[in-house]
Amino acid sequence: MEALKADDVWRRYGSQEVLKGLDLSLASGAFEALMGPSGCGKSTFLHLAAGLLAADRGAIEIGGVDVVGMRDAVAAKFRRRHVGVVFQAFNLLNEKSVEDNIALPLMLDGMRLSSPKVRGRVDALMGELGISALARKRPEELSGGEQQRVAIARALVAEPDIVLADEPTGNLDSASAKGICSLLRGVNRGGKTAILLVTHDPQVAACADRVHFLRDGRIAASIDARGDAARISQFYLETYR
Ligand code: ADP
Ligand code: MG
């Protein structure tokens, strides 16, 4: 079964058609990237797939479950259990500590940070992301790169079936971006968690197994180019020139 299956997805804002019959599918456990210039609709697609925005037409299934027709409350619960979202603008809660932000998807499902399972999971993620020392701080006290790591930890905490990550390295220097890539590779390695990574950085896209190029509201091309940032760059230039 596919982790994600988008079939003929359309979405407009006012008179602007952003997505125009987009088809995309990710096998379970796949690690793929979505590229395209600013404004081409990458974030719009991500929000549709996360069930946060309604499509005008078409179908999107996550693990075989239709998210387009889902009611808000059902979508929120489904998302907490099955989908990890790293938002481009982080969407952290400023009145809560870093560790509370990370644990939030589990706490909303009735678990407590003080339970050994949640505590262990949050501590392990903070360790992997190098943010353990920030546990009691609040997001507004952190740099952009640090907030990004918190957002990534929160997306991973519930061990989702798929992670949708919107420019998760956008605020990081290239060394830190590499670190996020290897972290995502590690998350993906077990084959249980699929990842869709939105980025416009060929170096980052190269950590995925396959790259899709979004143009004119559809996937214009897809290539298998893991590790080959030069080829992705070249393809990017050809696709958008
Ligand atoms: P990307 O993530 O690829 O940069 P987006 O999906 O954010 O692109 O945006 C695609 C297009 O839709 C852009 O032209 C943007 O201005 C427009 N858009 C996005 N969100 C909204 C919104 N809430 N209202 C109106 N237009 C929007
Ligand atoms: Mg975007």
Side-chain angles (χ1 to χ4, degrees):
M1 183 188 298
E2 276 105 353
L4 170 75
K5 190 172 191 313
D7 187 13
D8 193 27
V9 172
W10 292 70
R11 170 72 204 202
R12 61 161 65 215
Y13 290 108
S15 60
Q16 182 193 8
E17 289 280 11
V18 176
L19 300 179
K20 300 187 272 189
L22 183 147
D23 296 322
L24 178 64
S25 70
L26 258 74
S28 70
F31 187 169
E32 305 192 1
L34 180 64
M35 293 191 87
S38 181
C40 75
K42 303 182 296 298
S43 295
T44 298
F45 176 68
L46 209 105
H47 285 89
L48 291 173
L52 291 162
L53 191 67
D56 297 327
R57 219 167 94 198
I60 304 180
E61 290 181 359
I62 297 274
V65 176
D66 170 36
V67 293
V68 169
M70 230 179 234
R71 284 182 301 111
D72 289 355
V74 178
K77 189 163 187 180
F78 179 81
R79 195 164 51 243
R80 285 202 299 275
R81 301 218 167 139
H82 300 283
V83 187
V85 186
V86 183
F87 294 98
Q88 191 163 9
F90 317 134
N91 298 10
L92 300 172
L93 299 177
N94 253 324
E95 64 281 9
K96 291 194 180 289
S97 66
V98 161
E99 58 187 13
D100 281 341
N101 267 281
I102 295 171
L104 191 69
L106 301 177
M107 290 159 83
L108 287 170
D109 273 333
M111 293 185 227
R112 290 171 180 278
L113 180 57
S114 56
S115 82
K117 193 175 160 218
V118 176
R119 189 70 260 175
R121 179 86 186 126
V122 170
D123 287 345
L125 278 168
M126 289 193 300
E128 281 177 59
L129 285 151
I131 50 174
S132 304
L134 307 175
R136 311 305 296 253
K137 294 206 175 210
R138 293 191 300 137
E140 64 193 3
E141 300 174 273
L142 309 182
S143 72
E146 289 167 342
Q147 290 184 37
Q148 196 143 44
R149 286 155 199 270
V150 177
I152 291 167
R154 183 184 56 185
L156 298 177
V157 77
E159 302 184 298
D161 304 321
I162 184 165
V163 173
L164 305 169
D166 200 352
E167 314 261 13
T169 60
N171 289 269
L172 303 177
D173 57 51
S174 67
S176 308
K178 274 208 178 111
I180 298 297
C181 273
S182 36
L183 181 89
L184 291 176
R185 277 244 73 102
V187 167
N188 177 251
R189 195 164 296 129
K192 281 197 290 195
T193 312
I195 299 179
L196 181 64
L197 173 59
V198 167
T199 179
H200 56 248
D201 181 345
Q203 296 285 351
V204 174
C207 75
D209 294 314
R210 190 168 171 77
V211 184
H212 305 278
F213 297 88
L214 178 55
R215 194 188 71 200
D216 298 332
R218 314 183 57 159
I219 302 301
S222 304
I223 58 172
D224 294 322
R226 178 161 170 201
D228 196 347
R231 180 153 173 254
I232 295 168
S233 288
Q234 182 63 33
F235 215 89
Y236 192 95
L237 290 172
E238 285 168 14
T239 306
Y240 302 105
R241 74 170 161 218

